């Protein structure tokens, strides 16, 4: 799996469109939310237009933006998503991040609105967020550089942040790794909610997370899941057959 630096921009365009469609099919994205990726030369990032359907998005629906929001390329007659500042402000201060998801899956959001609820890492893949998942208190849209910067300050060096009564933001190294992070983050929240019906929830211990992380090959896992979900997407018609050689 090539990293973001060596991937062509054409591949990145197709990969964002594919990832968005897959998240929509998995009900992690719906009518709203967005995926972005840093450009290989670090001159900006790719993100979708505001009116593009998450279920039918194509590479031509993407904008190329500079980190201050300047439009470098993109379709006419529309504009980028309003909350692109979520992405741009992360890219400005987190050189380790090359791909970002903003979405509104219901179960993770529940942990921001139930008094005393705390999202725990309860499955082994939760190691990715072992440093914490802070909650940003602003419930409204992140639609300016200052508001985006405030969210990033809450996020710190964590790989995820919850937006109170709003949604989630995940930060990853590449589009395939963002796909697995989105799946595992939502799965962890759902597992905690379901386990709480049976009794007190036991989070993963630091020792358990250490052991898992030591044995886990994140890159290989990303390759496996990217292939599985894209192959399934092609078989089910979620992804156009013509994209098979493009991602």
């Amino acid at each position: 799996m090539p990293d973001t630096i060596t991937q062509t921009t054409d591949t990145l365009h197709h990969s964002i469109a594919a990832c968005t469609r897959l998240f929509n099919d998995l009900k992690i994205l719906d009518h709203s939310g967005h995926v972005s990726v840093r450009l290989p030369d670090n001159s900006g990032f790719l993100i979708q237009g505001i009116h593009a359907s998450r279920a039918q998005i194509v590479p031509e629906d993407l904008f190329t933006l500079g980190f201050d929001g300047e439009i470098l390329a993109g379709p006419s007659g529309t504009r980028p998503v309003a909350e692109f500042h979520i992405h741009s402000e992360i890219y400005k201060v987190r050189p380790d991040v090359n791909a970002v998801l903003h979405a509104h899956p219901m179960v993770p959001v529940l942990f921001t609105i139930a008094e005393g609820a705390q999202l725990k890492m309860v499955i082994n893949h939760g190691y990715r967020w072992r440093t914490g998942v802070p909650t940003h208190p602003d419930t409204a849209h992140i639609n300016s550089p200052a508001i985006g910067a405030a969210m990033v300050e809450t996020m710190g060096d964590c790989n995820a942040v919850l937006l109170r009564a709003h949604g989630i933001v995940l930060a990853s190294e590449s589009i395939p790794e963002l796909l697995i992070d989105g799946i595992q983050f939502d799965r962890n929240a759902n597992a905690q909610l379901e386990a709480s019906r049976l009794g007190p929830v036991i989070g993963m211990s630091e020792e358990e997370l250490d052991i898992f992380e030591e044995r886990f090959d994140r890159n290989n896992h990303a390759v496996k899941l990217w292939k599985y979900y894209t192959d399934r997407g092609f078989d089910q018609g979620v992804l156009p057959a013509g994209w098979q050689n493009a991602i």
Side-chain angles (χ1 to χ4, degrees):
M1 179 184 63
D3 61 26
T4 302
I5 303 304
T6 58
Q7 284 181 301
T8 67
T9 54
D10 181 65
T11 299
L12 291 176
H13 276 77
H14 280 85
S15 294
I16 286 185
C19 189
T20 300
R21 285 182 178 224
L22 292 172
F23 275 142
N24 179 263
D25 185 58
L26 292 164
K27 303 189 186 308
I28 292 172
L29 280 178
D30 49 21
H31 62 277
S32 190
H34 19 84
V35 173
S36 72
V37 68
R38 189 192 297 269
L39 290 170
D41 62 2
N42 199 36
S43 60
F45 62 102
L46 303 176
I47 196 166
Q48 73 171 74
I50 192 168
H51 299 305
S53 167
R54 279 70 176 166
Q56 297 181 323
I57 186 172
V58 295
E60 293 76 18
D61 290 323
L62 299 179
F63 281 87
T64 303
L65 299 184
F67 296 123
D68 291 321
E70 62 274 29
I71 296 176
L72 305 178
S76 60
T78 185
R79 58 186 173 86
V81 293
E83 291 188 295
F84 71 81
H85 303 282
I86 289 173
H87 306 257
S88 59
E89 295 304 315
I90 290 175
Y91 291 133
K92 285 179 184 179
V93 301
R94 291 285 299 273
D96 59 310
V97 173
N98 292 316
V100 173
L101 166 69
H102 171 47
H104 313 97
M106 178 56 67
V107 174
V109 174
L110 293 178
F111 287 89
T112 73
I113 61 179
E115 185 175 359
Q118 181 181 1
L119 185 64
K120 299 179 180 180
M121 298 304 108
V122 297
I123 62 173
N124 50 17
H125 286 279
Y127 90 94
R128 175 71 179 164
W129 305 284
R130 64 185 303 175
T131 58
V133 182
T135 297
H136 187 57
D138 190 341
T139 64
H141 285 126
I142 311 295
N143 58 5
S144 78
I147 298 170
M151 183 212 72
V152 174
E153 184 175 359
T154 298
M155 186 177 191
D157 61 358
C158 297
N159 294 317
V161 61
L162 297 171
L163 308 179
R164 174 167 149 66
H166 177 173
I168 67 171
V169 176
L170 303 182
S172 305
E173 309 94 316
S174 70
I175 291 294
E177 284 156 321
L178 186 68
L179 178 67
I180 67 171
D181 285 348
I183 292 168
Q184 300 293 3
F185 190 85
D186 190 56
R187 183 175 293 168
N188 182 88
N190 277 273
Q192 181 176 343
L193 180 62
E194 289 301 311
S196 70
R197 302 176 191 273
L198 302 176
V201 175
I202 304 171
M204 296 284 290
S205 69
E206 289 299 312
E207 181 180 7
E208 288 173 322
L209 293 171
D210 285 342
I211 292 171
F212 180 80
E213 187 167 4
E214 180 181 351
R215 298 179 189 173
F216 183 57
D217 188 326
R218 180 169 166 81
N219 185 70
N220 282 345
H221 188 66
V223 171
K224 181 178 77 171
L225 265 67
W226 182 253
K227 177 172 173 48
Y228 170 76
Y229 282 104
T230 55
D231 283 353
R232 192 179 77 162
F234 289 125
D235 289 344
Q236 297 180 346
V238 175
L239 303 181
W243 292 7
Q244 290 193 18
N245 294 323
I247 59 174

